[in-house]
């Protein structure tokens, strides 16, 4: 292109650009003029009104969108609920099928390992055998609270079955001192359930063998929510899916080791289907009865409503009872303060018995009305007052048979557990490790402040050392065998256990004491004198039984600070004088 043509082309382009700029300016000017005219023509505050209208329009649009999203979410929830309702029966069938398949796999594995399938005295050939003792009104297992003296008091006033406090199967199987300190009973303390914590099948079986002839059933603790259970890995902390095989093996080992029934005390799992599955697995493993605390299992990190908060979920216990069938015994535990609660609880859940802990601590005579409750129902409501009075007097004068506690046997038949060398070696190694940890803590004690857990370990040193020394003596005295199975050896000094004694008493006499907390507490102290209890348990029971009166006369602190049963009696006598 020649220079002249190039200059001509550039001039043309510049003209076009200038024209475009002029057009844009004119359009902007026109727009500006239009806006000015609108402002002049509009009334004062017109723009504010328009802005408000725009804001209202935006808000309404936003509200419509939120309302629409709410409807969508609600519709989705309804669809999900409907699907859950439709599939609930299918899920239950699937759970049953899964349980059967899992049982088949376990049986197959046991067959490979040459482990025989256990047979129990209560479940044979899939036929449930009835328990040979009453279990309608039950005293729950409580650490430091369901000791012999309190069990006898509750039995006198209506309890038909009682559990011991929790005992460690590990210590019980290996330490005779622990057995003497933790387990007391007499012939009149029946029917009795020995309540053990365990996370080892062989130790649970060994402990069960040692008490088989002195109780009526063995119970596995699967409900304890306390921190000690978390540290020791037992109680409700065994209810996770990762420990299910271990739990089933513990129940199987116990059922195979003894001829008396094996029980389990559990808590609810997060889903009702999971709780039902657990109960069926325990039943199939050999558990003859399951007691259900109607609150969720504990977890160490749980926040908000947890293992002890809120009312018990009796509807879930009812669902478990329905799923397990009418012939399988289930105990319901929770929401029991009065005898009316006992009746309503059993009617609502259809359970075979009611277990109480908190309610019976406040009132050991909680179950007393069972002696006359049914009789009152038969009295005609339209009958004359004189007839009612006669019937009531007749009922109160009715004589019933109760246990007449015999003296505590101080020299119990000595039983020596015979364990294989491998078991002794493993146990000694664990104890030695704990003792080394304690020694390390003792060295640090002078330099740094100890945590609560470290302080607890220091307190347990004496007990651990005792157990270690006892195992050491067993090794030296050749009391262990090379057998693979744990065996029980009874010494030649077996004592003949006397038959339980009984006596007659009128319901009127029982009611007179039951209606007066001071008389009830004094009766408990009489039992404590015959069957010694640690003072902290005596104080605990007295302040629970007489709580209202102790607060009323401002004697609670004096009761709590008492260091002997005699001093507690003095406090009760003061209340009696004030009244």
């Amino acid at each position: 292109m020649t220079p002249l043509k190039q200059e001509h082309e550039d001039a043309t382009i510049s003209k076009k650009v200038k024209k475009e700029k002029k057009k844009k300016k004119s359009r902007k000017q026109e727009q500006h003029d239009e806006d000015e005219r609108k402002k002049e023509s509009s009334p004062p505050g017109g723009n504010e009104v328009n802005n408000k209208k725009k804001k209202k329009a935006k808000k309404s649009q936003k509200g419509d969108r939120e309302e629409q999203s709410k409807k969508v979410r609600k519709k989705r929830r309804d669809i999900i609920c409907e699907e859950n309702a439709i599939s609930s029966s299918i899920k239950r069938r699937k759970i049953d099928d899964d349980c059967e398949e899992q049982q088949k796999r376990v049986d197959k594995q046991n067959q490979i390992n040459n482990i025989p399938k256990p047979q129990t005295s209560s479940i044979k050939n899939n036929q449930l055998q009835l328990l040979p003792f009453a279990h309608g009104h039950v005293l729950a297992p409580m650490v430091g609270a369901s000791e012999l003296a309190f069990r006898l008091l509750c039995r006198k006033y209506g309890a038909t079955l009682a559990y011991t406090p929790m005992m460690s199967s590990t210590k019980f199987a290996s330490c005779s001192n622990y057995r003497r300190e933790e387990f007391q009973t007499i012939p009149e303390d029946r029917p009795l359930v020995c309540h053990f914590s365990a996370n080892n099948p062989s130790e649970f079986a060994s402990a069960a063998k040692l008490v088989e002839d002195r109780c009526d059933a063995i119970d596995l603790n699967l409900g304890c929510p306390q921190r000690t259970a978390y540290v020791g890995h037992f109680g409700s902390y065994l209810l996770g899916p990762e420990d299910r095989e271990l739990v089933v093996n513990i129940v199987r080992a116990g059922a195979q080791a003894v001829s008396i029934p094996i029980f389990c005390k559990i808590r609810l799992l997060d889903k009702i289907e999971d709780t039902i599955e657990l109960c069926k697995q325990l039943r199939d493993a050999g558990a003859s009865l399951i007691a259900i605390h109607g609150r969720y299992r504990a977890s160490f990190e749980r926040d908000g409503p947890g293992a002890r908060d809120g009312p018990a979920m009796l509807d879930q216990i009812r669902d478990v009872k329905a799923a397990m069938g009418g012939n399988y015994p289930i105990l319901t535990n929770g929401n029991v303060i009065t005898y009316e609660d006992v009746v309503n609880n059993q009617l609502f859940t259809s359970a075979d018995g009611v277990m109480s802990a908190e309610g019976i601590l406040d009132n050991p005579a909680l179950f007393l009305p069972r002696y006359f409750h049914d009789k009152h129902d038969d009295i005609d409501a339209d009958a004359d007052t004189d007839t009612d009075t006669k019937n009531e007097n007749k009922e109160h004068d009715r004589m019933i048979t109760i246990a007449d506690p015999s003296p505590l046997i101080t020299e119990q038949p000595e039983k020596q557990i015979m364990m294989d060398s491998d078991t002794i070696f493993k146990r000694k190694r664990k104890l030695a490790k704990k003792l080394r940890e304690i020694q390390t803590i003792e060295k640090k004690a002078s330099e740094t402040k100890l945590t609560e857990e470290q302080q607890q370990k220091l307190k347990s040193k004496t007990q651990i050392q005792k157990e270690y020394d006892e195992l050491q003596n067993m090794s030296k005295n050749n009391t262990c065998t090379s057998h693979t199975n744990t065996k029980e050896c009874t010494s030649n000094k077996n004592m003949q256990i006397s038959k339980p004694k009984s006596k007659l008493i009128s319901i009127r006499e029982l009611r007179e004491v039951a209606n007066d907390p001071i008389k009830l507490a004094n009766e408990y102290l009489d039992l404590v004198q015959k069957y010694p209890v640690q003072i902290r348990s005596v104080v605990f029971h007295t302040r629970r039984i007489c709580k209202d009166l102790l607060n009323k006369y401002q004697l609670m602190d004096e009761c709590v600070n008492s260091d002997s049963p005699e001093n507690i009696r003095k406090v009760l006598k003061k209340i009696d004088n004030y009244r």
Side-chain angles (χ1 to χ4, degrees):
M1 185 181 290
T2 62
L4 288 173
K5 285 184 179 181
Q6 181 67 40
E7 288 177 7
H8 179 71
E9 187 70 27
D10 292 341
T12 307
I13 291 169
S14 65
K15 284 179 183 181
K16 287 181 179 179
V17 170
K18 286 177 181 179
K19 282 181 182 180
E20 287 294 330
K21 286 182 178 180
K22 282 181 181 180
K23 285 181 181 179
K24 284 182 181 179
K25 282 183 180 180
S26 64
R27 282 198 296 269
K28 284 182 180 179
Q29 187 64 35
E30 288 175 3
Q31 184 66 37
H32 179 69
D33 294 341
E34 183 69 26
D35 293 339
E36 288 294 329
R37 283 195 299 271
K38 284 182 179 178
K39 284 181 182 180
E40 290 175 0
S41 62
S42 61
N47 287 334
E48 294 178 6
V49 173
N50 290 334
N51 290 336
K52 286 182 180 179
K53 286 182 178 179
K54 287 179 182 179
K55 286 180 181 178
K56 282 185 179 179
K58 285 182 180 179
K59 282 185 180 179
S60 64
Q61 289 176 1
K62 188 177 179 181
D64 292 340
R65 285 196 300 271
E66 289 179 354
E67 189 67 28
Q68 189 174 0
S69 63
K70 283 182 181 178
K71 287 180 180 179
V72 171
R73 287 196 297 270
K74 186 179 179 182
K75 191 173 181 181
R76 285 177 183 170
R77 285 197 299 269
D78 293 342
I79 291 170
I80 291 169
C81 292
E82 193 173 333
E83 287 175 354
N84 289 339
I86 292 170
S87 62
S88 60
S89 58
I90 298 172
K91 284 182 180 178
R92 287 178 186 257
R93 285 198 296 271
K94 283 183 179 179
I95 289 170
D96 294 341
D97 294 339
D98 291 342
C99 289
E100 289 178 7
E101 288 178 9
Q102 186 173 359
Q103 185 63 44
K104 287 178 182 178
R105 287 196 298 270
V106 172
D107 291 342
K108 188 176 180 180
Q109 188 64 35
N110 289 344
Q111 191 174 1
I112 293 171
N113 297 332
N114 293 324
I115 299 174
K117 190 175 181 179
Q119 295 290 330
T120 69
S121 60
S122 54
I123 301 177
K124 293 183 178 180
N125 302 322
N126 295 325
Q127 295 295 320
L128 182 70
Q129 306 296 318
L130 294 176
L131 295 173
F133 49 82
H135 51 278
H137 302 84
V138 186
L139 170 65
M142 293 174 283
V143 176
S146 57
E147 80 286 350
L148 176 60
F150 191 70
R151 291 200 300 268
L152 293 173
L153 183 68
C154 295
R155 288 181 189 280
K156 179 178 179 179
Y157 291 95
T160 55
L161 179 66
Y163 283 60
T164 67
M166 181 187 72
M167 299 179 286
S168 167
S169 60
T170 303
K171 295 178 182 178
F172 199 93
S174 60
C175 182
S176 59
N177 289 333
Y178 181 85
R179 293 195 290 274
R180 282 192 293 271
E181 291 170 4
E182 297 297 323
F183 181 54
Q184 290 183 331
T185 189
I186 58 174
E188 292 77 23
D189 185 29
R190 305 293 283 268
L192 178 66
V193 181
C194 284
H195 182 64
F196 288 105
S197 64
N199 56 19
N200 181 290
S202 62
E203 290 174 349
F204 180 69
S206 299
K209 283 182 179 181
L210 287 169
V211 294
E212 180 181 5
D213 58 342
R214 299 177 65 194
C215 66
D216 300 274
I218 309 293
D219 186 69
L220 174 63
N221 182 339
L222 294 174
C224 181
Q226 296 178 3
R227 187 177 180 182
T228 53
Y230 174 81
V231 174
H233 194 57
F234 62 83
S236 65
Y237 299 98
L238 285 177
L239 293 180
E242 66 278 2
D243 290 315
R244 187 59 49 83
E245 186 177 355
L246 171 63
V247 169
V248 168
N249 288 337
I250 292 172
V251 175
R252 277 207 180 106
Q256 190 175 12
V258 297
S259 59
I260 60 177
I262 299 293
F263 292 174
C264 293
K265 187 173 186 294
I266 69 168
R267 283 176 175 261
L268 297 173
L269 301 185
D270 294 336
K271 295 180 181 178
I272 183 62
E273 294 85 3
D274 295 338
T275 308
I276 293 171
E277 180 185 9
L278 168 65
C279 290
K280 288 184 176 179
Q281 288 174 335
L282 294 174
R283 177 196 63 190
D284 296 341
S288 303
L289 176 147
I290 298 173
I292 306 175
H293 187 159
R295 292 179 176 86
Y296 288 124
R297 72 188 182 99
S299 64
F300 195 68
E301 300 83 7
R302 184 187 289 277
D303 295 325
R308 296 186 176 186
D309 302 323
M313 287 159 280
L314 301 182
D315 55 331
Q316 294 200 33
I317 299 178
R318 177 191 60 195
D319 293 344
V320 173
K321 174 61 182 176
M324 295 295 288
N327 291 329
Y328 189 81
I330 296 288
L331 299 183
T332 174
N333 179 209
N335 293 2
V336 171
I337 302 298
T338 65
Y339 190 76
E340 186 180 2
D341 295 332
V342 174
V343 175
N344 293 336
N345 192 324
Q346 192 161 14
L347 288 174
F348 180 77
T349 60
S350 300
D352 301 87
V354 176
M355 176 182 282
S356 178
E358 291 296 323
I360 207 166
L361 285 174
D362 292 332
N363 179 18
L366 173 68
F367 295 130
L368 178 62
R370 79 175 181 84
Y371 288 124
F372 51 85
H373 185 267
D374 295 335
K375 297 286 183 180
H376 288 173
D377 293 341
D378 296 336
I379 297 173
D380 186 2
D382 297 328
D384 296 335
T385 306
D386 294 339
T387 307
D388 288 344
T389 305
K390 288 179 182 178
N391 287 332
E392 187 175 354
N393 290 333
K394 185 178 180 181
E395 181 60 28
H396 289 176
D397 291 334
R398 184 165 62 92
M399 305 296 288
I400 59 172
T401 304
I402 62 170
D404 184 14
S406 55
L408 183 66
I409 300 173
T410 54
E411 295 182 6
Q412 296 291 354
E414 287 292 330
K415 289 186 177 182
Q416 192 174 37
I417 192 73
M418 298 182 70
M419 295 187 290
D420 61 280
S421 56
D422 289 339
T423 305
I424 292 178
F425 175 74
K426 289 177 182 178
R427 184 63 188 157
K428 280 173 62 180
R429 188 172 60 184
K430 286 182 181 179
L431 294 174
K433 184 179 178 181
K434 289 181 179 179
L435 289 172
R436 287 195 297 273
E437 288 178 2
I438 291 171
Q439 287 175 357
T440 306
I441 293 169
E442 286 174 339
K443 290 178 182 178
K444 292 180 180 179
S446 58
E447 302 173 0
T448 59
K449 187 177 180 180
L450 300 180
T451 64
E452 186 180 347
E453 188 176 348
Q454 289 173 332
Q455 291 173 1
Q456 290 295 330
K457 285 182 179 180
L458 284 178
K459 289 179 183 178
S460 65
K461 180 182 177 180
T462 306
Q463 184 64 35
I464 293 172
Q465 188 65 53
K466 274 185 183 180
E467 191 176 346
Y468 182 85
D469 293 341
E470 192 162 316
L471 288 172
Q472 190 74 11
N473 291 331
M474 287 173 68
S475 302
K476 289 179 181 178
N477 297 332
N478 296 321
T479 56
C480 60
T481 71
S482 58
H483 296 291
T484 55
N485 295 328
T486 304
K487 291 188 177 181
E488 183 183 303
C489 171
T490 308
S491 76
N492 295 327
K493 295 181 180 180
N494 280 340
M495 297 176 63
Q496 201 170 21
I497 299 175
S498 60
K499 293 182 180 180
K501 300 176 183 177
S502 61
K503 63 181 180 180
L504 292 174
I505 191 171
S506 69
I507 291 177
R508 187 184 299 279
E509 292 178 71
L510 292 176
R511 293 193 74 175
E512 285 176 0
V513 176
N515 291 332
D516 187 346
I518 299 300
K519 289 182 179 178
L520 203 58
N522 275 313
E523 193 165 316
Y524 169 68
L525 293 175
D526 292 340
L527 289 167
V528 167
Q529 194 170 355
K530 290 179 70 175
Y531 313 106
V533 184
Q534 291 185 356
I535 187 61
R536 65 172 180 266
S537 295
V538 182
V539 170
F540 173 75
H541 282 303
T542 306
R543 71 178 181 83
R544 288 296 295 260
I545 296 170
C546 303
K547 178 171 58 179
D548 293 338
L549 291 172
L550 287 168
N551 287 328
K552 180 179 179 180
Y553 296 107
Q554 300 179 3
L555 291 170
M556 179 63 79
D557 290 340
E558 190 173 342
C559 175
V560 171
N561 294 325
S562 297
D563 57 359
S564 68
E566 290 74 21
N567 288 337
I568 295 176
R569 279 192 193 275
K570 291 177 183 177
V571 175
L572 298 181
K573 192 172 183 180
K574 285 183 182 179
I575 294 175
D576 217 12
N577 292 334
Y578 291 153
R579 292 192 300 175

